């Protein structure tokens, strides 16, 4: 059996840095800790990423690339089932890069690259969710006045952007731990899509309520 080629050091550094940032928060992770976790010298780390900011930017760029690819699929959403899957996938991507959202205000105030690009992220999210609403409207899954669609899409982006902060406030000790992820993602998807309830066609509204009921039942069984 052929041996696997060793992963490139630069990629290993990003993977370990992402894990540390997610676990402890970016402000609490130094380059010394990163190099120690990797069992490499600080000089080796600096060779690939001469400053901590470059690590943050590389991780953000990777996140933005994946996010844009996902958001571009929003116009394929036609009903609640599609929307639930799309939203859960979106929350999973956010969860994988949760340090960005956990420390968002600090990162934006200290990093010009993130400041400018995250504004683009918000605009792309809003356009994508507006496209999702248009697609569901054309398919007959919901009825929404065009004057309300923009505000609804923006409200959905607000929940998407700050949901993990809400989860952290309600349970700081456990909210961002891996074992809490699945239910946190389901709650997030529920509350974003709940904004559509007044506009959904009756059958679609009932389907969304059934999906929410299934996840809340699962949550109750896990907590028992």
């Amino acid at each position: 059996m052929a041996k696997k080629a060793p992963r490139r050091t630069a990629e290993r550094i990003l993977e370990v840095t992402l894990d540390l940032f997610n676990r402890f928060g970016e402000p609490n992770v130094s380059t010394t800790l990163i190099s120690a976790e990797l069992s490499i010298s600080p000089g080796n780390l600096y060779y690939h990423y001469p400053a901590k900011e470059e690590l943050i930017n590389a991780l953000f760029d990777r996140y933005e690339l994946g996010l844009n690819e996902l958001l571009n699929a929003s116009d394929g959403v036609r009903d609640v089932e599609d929307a639930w899957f799309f939203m859960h996938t979106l929350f999973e991507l956010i969860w994988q890069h949760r340090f960005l959202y956990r420390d968002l205000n600090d990162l934006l105030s200290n990093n010009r690259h993130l400041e400018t690009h995250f504004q683009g992220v918000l605009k792309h999210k809003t356009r994508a969710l507006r496209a999702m609403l248009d697609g569901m409207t054309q398919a007959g899954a919901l009825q929404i006045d065009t004057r309300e669609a923009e505000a609804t899409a923006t409200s959905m982006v607000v929940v998407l952007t700050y949901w993990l902060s809400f989860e952290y406030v309600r349970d700081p000790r456990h909210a961002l731990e891996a074992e809490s992820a699945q239910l946190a993602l389901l709650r997030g998807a529920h509350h974003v899509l709940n904004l559509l309830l007044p506009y959904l066609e009756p059958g679609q509204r009932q389907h969304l309520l059934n999906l929410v009921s299934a996840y809340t039942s699962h949550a109750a069984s896990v907590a028992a």
Side-chain angles (χ1 to χ4, degrees), residues 55-125:
L55 284 164
I56 296 169
N57 292 347
L59 289 171
F60 173 80
D61 290 345
R62 189 166 67 171
Y63 162 70
E64 186 178 29
L65 185 65
L67 179 68
N68 289 341
E69 183 177 345
L70 175 58
L71 292 178
N72 288 338
S74 64
D75 56 2
V77 175
R78 289 292 179 266
D79 55 25
V80 161
E81 188 74 28
D82 291 344
W84 182 267
F85 177 77
F86 174 77
M87 202 58 58
H88 193 269
T89 305
L90 184 52
F91 269 105
E92 282 184 334
L93 181 63
I94 290 172
W95 177 265
Q96 290 164 11
H97 301 83
R98 57 194 176 277
F99 83 93
L100 291 168
Y101 290 83
R102 171 179 174 172
D103 306 308
L104 183 58
N105 291 348
D106 286 340
L107 286 168
L108 295 183
S109 65
N110 296 312
N111 188 309
R112 180 63 178 165
H113 180 72
L114 263 62
E115 179 186 347
T116 56
H117 279 253
F118 220 98
Q119 291 171 0
V121 164
L122 293 182
K123 290 177 182 177
H124 196 176
K125 284 180 182 177

Side-chain angles (χ1 to χ4, degrees), residues 125-144:
K125 284 180 182 177
T126 304
R127 287 195 301 269
L129 292 180
R130 178 61 193 271
M132 184 183 83
L133 297 182
D134 290 346
M136 293 178 72
T137 299
Q138 293 169 11
L142 59 78
Q143 292 184 344
I144 186 170

Side-chain angles (χ1 to χ4, degrees), residues 160-185:
L160 267 171
T161 303
Y162 290 102
W163 179 254
L164 289 182
S165 295
F166 175 78
E167 288 281 335
Y168 185 73
V169 170
R170 66 190 288 272
D171 188 5
R173 294 182 180 273
H174 305 105
L176 299 182
E177 297 299 325
E179 59 270 19
S180 304
Q182 192 61 29
L183 291 180
L185 300 181

